[in-house]
């Protein structure tokens, strides 16, 4: 993925009763599904699709009628799930505020009030990666997610160094982001990483049939991310025995409504998930946290940011990816977990001055 993080589309939907809802689309133009199944979106395409098509289509509908809104959006525009997800978030935010309940209540209630943070370590020199991991662990992180897939030798070395430095109590996930050249390379690297103890292997290759070949030949679970956008993807992954779990988040399927459907189907098939994302601001992160609270199968440590405005209390490394945020109050971080906002709607207040400050030209 070459699109920069932090360049996102933000939407506000206003109602005739004076209630406004917020949504976010962390769209990346180079991000999509296997074999061109899902095309990349960008903040500019999201703006075009919403302003030029979707907002007019749903104007006059009740934001609480979320199934009707999704049917209308799908009949109006094919694909473009990130654009639809931004509007879906805003509608749920409005509905929650109108009913004076958190969004997770609208999704069926909370199985948990917090999500364990897996601190994400990007592609960087091994020693720098280890140093960042140590700081994250010192602040309370208990799980690390290591980006891999570009250099097999480095991918094994970084897991070994992390394990040597941090001991056996810290969980390590690896994420190849479809980077390995062949099934056999993915198998070889993962087996060598398994010698040092890894929690799971995320999306080492693009193709689902290739994932199934890897899953059959390694010991740790395979997680699907780029391969798991829709309910139909979940059914295919299960049929091929390609993944034991998947990364469930709001934007890939097109919103909270569709993500909840994904989670329910996956649960019925015996699969489980984390709560993924694309390093959203506090707006999109809040939506993902509500999804995680309401999804029974969301049991894995997740790359859920500890969103906080500049200068606010909280960790400086663990779960922190931006120097500032669009929300006015920080998310709480306790015992390695980020707490789900419990106010009405998404449970956040957006700093509109920050929106103006950070708006792209």
């Amino acid at each position: 993925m070459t699109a920069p993080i932090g360049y996102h589309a933000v939407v506000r939907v206003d109602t005739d009763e004076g209630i406004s809802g917020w949504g976010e689309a962390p769209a990346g133009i180079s991000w999509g599904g296997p074999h061109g199944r899902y095309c990349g979106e960008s903040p500019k395409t999201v703006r075009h699709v919403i302003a030029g098509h979707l907002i007019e289509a749903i104007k006059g509908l009740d934001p609480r009628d979320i199934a009707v809104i999704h049917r209308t959006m799908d009949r109006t525009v094919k694909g473009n799930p990130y654009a639809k997800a931004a509007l879906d978030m805003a509608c749920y935010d409005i509905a929650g505020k109108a009913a004076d309940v958190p969004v997770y209540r609208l999704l069926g209630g909370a199985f948990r009030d917090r999500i364990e943070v897996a601190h994400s370590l990007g592609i960087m020199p091994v020693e720098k990666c280890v140093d960042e991991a140590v700081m994250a662990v010192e602040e309370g992180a208990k799980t690390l997610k290591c980006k891999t897939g570009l250099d097999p030798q480095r991918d094994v070395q970084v897991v070994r160094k992390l394990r040597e430095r941090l001991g056996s109590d810290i969980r390590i996930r690896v994420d190849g982001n479809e980077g390995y050249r062949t099934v056999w390379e993915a198998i070889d690297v993962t087996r060598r990483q398994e010698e040092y103890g890894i929690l799971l292997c995320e999306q080492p290759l693009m193709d689902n049939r290739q994932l199934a070949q890897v899953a059959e030949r390694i010991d740790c679970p395979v997680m699907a991310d780029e391969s798991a956008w829709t309910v139909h993807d979940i059914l295919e992954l299960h049929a091929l025995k390609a993944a034991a779990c998947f990364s469930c988040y709001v934007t890939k399927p097109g919103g909270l409504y569709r993500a909840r459907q994904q989670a329910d189907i996956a649960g019925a098939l015996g699969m489980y998930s984390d709560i993924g994302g694309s390093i959203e601001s506090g707006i999109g992160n809040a939506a993902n946290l509500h999804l995680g609270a309401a999804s029974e199968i969301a049991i894995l440590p997740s790359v859920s940011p500890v969103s906080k405005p500049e200068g606010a209390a909280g960790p400086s490394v663990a779960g922190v990816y931006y120097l500032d945020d669009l929300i006015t109050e920080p998310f709480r971080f306790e015992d390695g977990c980020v707490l789900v906002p419990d106010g009405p709607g998404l449970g956040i207040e957006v700093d509109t001055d920050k929106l103006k400050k950070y708006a792209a030209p």
Side-chain angles (χ1 to χ4, degrees):
M1 181 171 174
T2 58
I5 65 169
Y7 179 43
H8 301 166
V10 174
V11 61
R12 189 189 73 198
V13 175
D14 300 325
T15 71
D16 57 0
E17 295 185 5
I19 303 175
S20 297
W22 293 93
E24 178 180 2
I29 198 66
S30 59
W31 174 255
H35 308 303
R37 185 178 293 182
Y38 309 106
C39 298
E41 296 173 73
S42 73
K44 290 182 179 179
T45 68
V46 167
R47 180 178 181 177
H48 170 74
V49 169
I50 290 177
H53 302 279
L54 293 178
I55 198 66
E56 285 300 317
I58 67 172
K59 185 179 290 186
L61 298 180
D62 190 322
R64 295 170 295 187
D65 294 339
I66 195 68
V68 175
I69 286 172
H70 273 273
R71 184 185 66 177
T72 303
M73 292 195 295
D74 289 345
R75 287 178 172 178
T76 304
V77 173
K78 296 296 184 184
N80 293 275
Y82 277 68
K84 293 172 182 176
L87 291 176
D88 166 283
M89 286 182 214
C91 288
Y92 270 104
D93 192 23
I94 292 167
K97 289 173 179 175
D100 196 29
V101 297
V103 163
Y104 63 71
R105 188 70 46 79
L106 304 178
L107 296 172
F111 288 97
R112 58 193 65 82
D113 66 356
R114 63 197 64 204
I115 302 294
E116 184 181 338
V117 170
H119 179 72
S120 184
L121 300 163
I123 298 290
M124 64 182 89
V126 171
E127 291 306 321
K128 184 178 179 182
C129 185
V130 173
D131 288 344
E132 181 175 321
V134 169
M135 289 188 286
V137 169
E138 287 176 347
E139 289 184 342
K142 299 176 181 178
T143 302
L144 302 167
K145 175 175 173 176
C146 226
K147 290 290 187 179
T148 57
L150 297 182
D151 180 345
Q153 297 306 316
R154 181 258 180 201
D155 294 349
V156 176
Q157 183 186 19
V158 72
V159 173
R160 176 172 62 84
K161 291 287 189 180
L162 286 169
R163 184 60 69 210
E164 289 174 352
R165 187 79 174 270
L166 298 172
S168 60
D169 292 337
I170 300 301
R171 291 181 289 270
I172 301 172
R173 297 175 45 173
V174 294
D175 180 6
N177 277 126
E178 305 176 313
Y180 293 112
R181 293 170 293 183
T182 67
V183 168
W184 315 114
E185 182 176 71
I187 292 168
D188 176 66
V189 171
T190 307
R191 283 176 172 172
R192 291 160 63 194
Q193 291 170 329
E194 286 177 329
E195 295 177 16
Y196 306 103
I198 55 175
L199 178 66
L200 58 86
C201 167
E202 182 177 348
Q203 199 75 45
L205 296 150
M206 177 189 296
D207 184 81
N208 289 348
R209 288 171 177 78
Q210 291 180 328
L211 284 185
Q213 289 178 280
V214 174
E216 187 179 15
R217 291 169 173 84
I218 64 175
D219 292 329
C220 71
V222 169
M223 170 183 275
D225 181 8
E226 290 91 334
S227 289
W229 287 62
T230 67
V231 166
H232 304 286
D233 292 337
I234 298 300
L235 293 170
E236 180 179 310
L237 289 162
H238 179 260
L240 292 171
K241 299 180 180 178
C245 52
F246 76 107
S247 194
C248 183
Y249 43 105
V250 175
T251 44
K252 281 188 302 181
L256 285 154
Y257 178 72
R258 298 293 188 204
R260 179 55 195 267
Q261 290 177 331
Q262 254 194 327
D264 287 345
I265 291 293
L269 296 172
M271 297 174 70
Y272 54 101
S273 81
D274 73 350
I275 294 299
S278 304
I279 313 297
E280 290 84 352
S281 78
I283 300 170
N285 188 27
N288 276 323
L289 291 173
H290 283 281
L291 174 64
S295 173
E296 187 174 5
I297 68 167
I299 60 175
L300 290 169
S302 307
V303 182
S304 298
V306 184
S307 303
K308 63 191 188 83
E310 184 178 17
S316 59
V317 176
V320 177
Y321 307 101
Y322 298 127
L323 299 175
D324 199 1
D325 207 283
L326 301 176
I327 54 174
T328 60
E329 297 294 329
F331 288 6
R332 293 166 58 195
F333 180 68
E334 295 179 2
D335 194 28
C337 299
V338 59
L339 273 61
V340 180
D342 58 3
L346 291 176
I348 57 166
E349 182 177 343
V350 174
D351 188 330
T352 54
D353 289 334
K354 294 278 183 71
L355 279 176
K356 296 174 184 176
K357 177 180 178 180
Y358 295 119

